[in-house]
Amino acid sequence: MSGFLRNMPPVGLEVDLVDIPVKGRLPPQLDGTLLRIGPNPLFPAEGAHWFAGDGMVHAFHIAGGTVRYQNRWVRTARWLAERAAGRALAGGLEDTAGDGLANTNIVHHGGRLLALEEAHPPVALRLDGLATLGSADFDAPVSGPFTAHPKVDPVTGQLLFFGYGTPDWLGPGMCFGVLDAGGRVERFDRFEAPYASMVHDFAATAHYAVFPVQPLTASRERMRAGGPPFAWEGERACALGVLHRNAPVDSLAWWSLPSCHAYHVMNAWEDGSVLRIDVMQAHAAALFPRPDGSPVADAGGARLSRWSIDLDDRRHTARSELLCEVRGEFPRIDERRSGLPYRHGWFIGHDPGGHDPGGHDPGSEQPFSRIVHIDHARPLAPDVHALADGDACSEAVFVARSPGAEEGDGWLLAVAYRGAADRSDLLVFDARDVGAGPLASASLPVRVPNGFHGNWIPS
Ligand SMILES: [Fe+2]
């Protein structure tokens, strides 16, 4: 079994660990907290979707060359009810009641730490101790679903967000909002997508927001008839909604793109009158069935690809090109270049297995076992750190050496599962030379399940 599958089950304990042994030397400038979050069901239920587990936060506090670790479930209404009942309760991706699962991303903005899950408003936490403060309220009219992938404009400090399936979950309604650097609402608008779908991520450039509606369709009627609430309908084209950030929402226009699926955007920027959007693109959506419930034969794995939207194209036709053959997920950048032209990106790659002349062997595939650094100056020659067989890695997070350091000058932090010992290490790499291996690793006596996303919060 791959390290990724072995590290999928939840952990059952909340712990506080100090004096974690460190191999190598942690850079003294690393002073802050790496936060990660992911599904960690309190009571694992047979057949439950990976996305539907209660959120658990993992914090690595780094200072003075030492590491402390702490993990806590987010005390959502559902988690509290489950704990009181002593068993798993109904409710998964079709459930929009309460404050949700708080399991997908964790961001710090406007003085608040927010656990995000896209079907609900954020849940606020306390950074010190990770106590749950409750559903985060924003000024009216902000309400309802809030993406787990907001974008922070590095120039203005604004946080851009959107929601889908709002006001009616599984419907085509969407919203777009902007918070200022202090967390106050600057704009909030509603619009309608060409069809209802799961919209996990979006793109933002200095002047535009782009909402990718892809054929991972949503349907309440299908769900009521006993089918899946979300399903892959690959015969549909994608629709990319383009909105100038300062224009009224009725100016939003849709560009078509041949059928494909991307969960995540690496970055987007303006190249004259063309919007470039780098995504991890697959043939189909992994992890979801067809409308009749049958599995998608082969989603193909996601590869770094570039969408181009020519704002002067009156036919409103977007195109996609492949940038790198390595399959993977969880793309990240030096966030100081968010929405701007950029050079460096990172993602977690799969080892396709079959290291013989016969090639790919699904039986020996090792998903999420490579840390990949893309230098867009030479995208065909990625800089790669390969973990040992049986290991797996979660999303890596970039930390700049200093606020004024040049793009990519800093560290890449990643949490690796060590299959042979059934526990996890925090790894610190030189972000522009991950192939050289970690500069330092902190060895936890416990396992940090795969999870989804994380971020660095400087002290
Ligand atoms: Fe995500």
Side-chain angles (χ1 to χ4, degrees):
M1 185 189 284
S2 73
F4 179 73
L5 288 177
R6 284 193 63 199
N7 195 32
M8 189 63 91
V11 293
L13 286 177
E14 296 181 323
V15 300
D16 293 84
L17 302 172
V18 297
D19 296 330
I20 295 168
V22 176
K23 271 186 246 151
R25 182 167 172 267
L26 284 167
Q29 303 99 317
L30 265 184
D31 188 356
T33 302
L34 174 69
L35 289 168
R36 289 197 41 73
I37 198 165
N40 195 88
L42 179 60
F43 298 104
E46 190 76 24
H49 197 284
W50 184 31
F51 294 0
D54 308 294
M56 177 178 272
V57 182
H58 305 264
F60 297 84
H61 304 284
I62 307 176
T66 68
V67 183
R68 287 189 294 123
Y69 168 81
Q70 185 172 47
N71 69 320
R72 292 290 185 275
W73 269 289
V74 184
R75 268 66 170 160
T76 60
R78 184 174 110 143
W79 186 92
L80 292 167
E82 286 181 326
R83 191 177 62 167
R87 61 183 172 83
L89 297 176
L93 300 181
E94 65 282 4
D95 178 22
T96 56
D99 50 2
L101 300 162
N103 68 9
T104 314
N105 200 356
I106 183 159
V107 301
H108 193 261
H109 185 262
R112 291 204 283 189
L113 182 63
L114 303 172
L116 305 174
E117 173 261 288
E118 66 202 35
H120 297 84
V123 174
L125 305 176
R126 200 186 302 280
L127 176 57
D128 180 19
L130 305 178
T132 301
L133 299 173
S135 194
D137 51 340
F138 293 98
D139 298 337
V142 173
S143 66
F146 189 108
T147 179
H149 288 288
K151 308 292 178 223
V152 174
D153 184 315
V155 177
T156 65
Q158 292 167 305
L159 180 141
L160 282 61
F161 67 95
F162 74 97
Y164 70 90
T166 178
D168 300 316
W169 186 237
L170 303 177
M174 296 183 68
C175 65
F176 171 60
V178 179
L179 308 180
D180 70 13
R184 288 170 292 272
V185 179
E186 280 189 351
R187 83 174 276 179
F188 185 77
D189 290 293
R190 294 183 179 279
F191 60 96
E192 186 126 320
Y195 57 88
S197 75
M198 176 182 283
V199 189
H200 182 63
D201 197 354
F202 79 132
T205 67
H207 300 96
Y208 291 88
V210 180
F211 309 97
V213 170
Q214 304 173 91
L216 178 48
T217 62
S219 170
R220 181 172 299 277
E221 293 69 36
R222 188 169 61 210
M223 184 181 77
R224 285 196 177 130
F230 294 99
W232 178 249
E233 291 189 70
E235 62 281 4
R236 289 178 184 262
C238 303
L240 308 179
V242 179
L243 177 66
H244 192 285
R245 284 166 50 178
N246 296 325
V249 76
D250 60 10
S251 66
L252 191 153
W254 296 91
W255 263 254
S256 72
L257 179 74
S259 177
C260 65
H261 186 263
Y263 276 114
H264 293 119
V265 172
M266 180 176 269
N267 198 15
W269 73 101
E270 294 158 22
D271 181 1
S273 63
V274 180
L275 305 183
R276 309 285 188 194
I277 305 173
D278 289 352
V279 302
M280 300 302 293
Q281 178 182 319
H283 304 316
L287 307 173
F288 285 91
R290 294 185 185 283
D292 64 5
S294 65
V296 173
D298 181 13
R303 295 180 292 176
L304 185 61
S305 304
R306 179 163 295 166
W307 295 347
S308 294
I309 298 172
D310 183 347
L311 297 172
D312 294 331
D313 174 9
R314 297 171 72 169
R315 293 170 302 134
H316 283 203
T317 305
R319 62 187 173 82
S320 173
E321 63 186 302
L322 180 66
L323 295 183
C324 176
E325 288 283 353
V326 181
R327 287 169 166 76
E329 258 297 352
F330 299 122
R332 294 299 297 260
I333 57 165
D334 177 341
E335 306 281 341
R336 298 171 302 165
R337 301 303 301 169
S338 183
L340 303 169
Y342 75 116
R343 177 170 171 179
H344 297 282
W346 297 266
F347 65 87
I348 306 303
H350 311 315
D351 180 336
H355 300 292
D356 57 43
H360 178 239
D361 168 15
S364 63
E365 185 176 41
Q366 296 285 328
F368 301 104
S369 63
R370 294 169 164 191
I371 297 163
V372 182
H373 163 221
I374 295 286
D375 178 347
H376 284 292
R378 41 186 172 85
L380 297 179
D383 160 32
V384 177
H385 174 71
L387 300 175
D389 273 5
D391 292 0
C393 193
S394 57
E395 181 182 69
V397 174
F398 175 81
V399 183
R401 188 177 303 272
S402 66
E406 74 175 40
E407 184 197 346
D409 181 14
W411 301 284
L412 197 71
L413 274 51
V415 181
Y417 170 67
R418 303 305 196 184
D422 194 33
R423 53 164 202 80
S424 297
D425 285 340
L426 170 66
L427 306 180
V428 179
F429 296 87
D430 176 338
R432 292 184 294 189
D433 189 11
V434 300
L439 301 169
S441 67
S443 302
L444 298 182
V446 296
R447 187 169 66 79
V448 178
N450 298 319
F452 292 138
H453 299 292
N455 283 293
W456 173 256
I457 300 172
S459 284

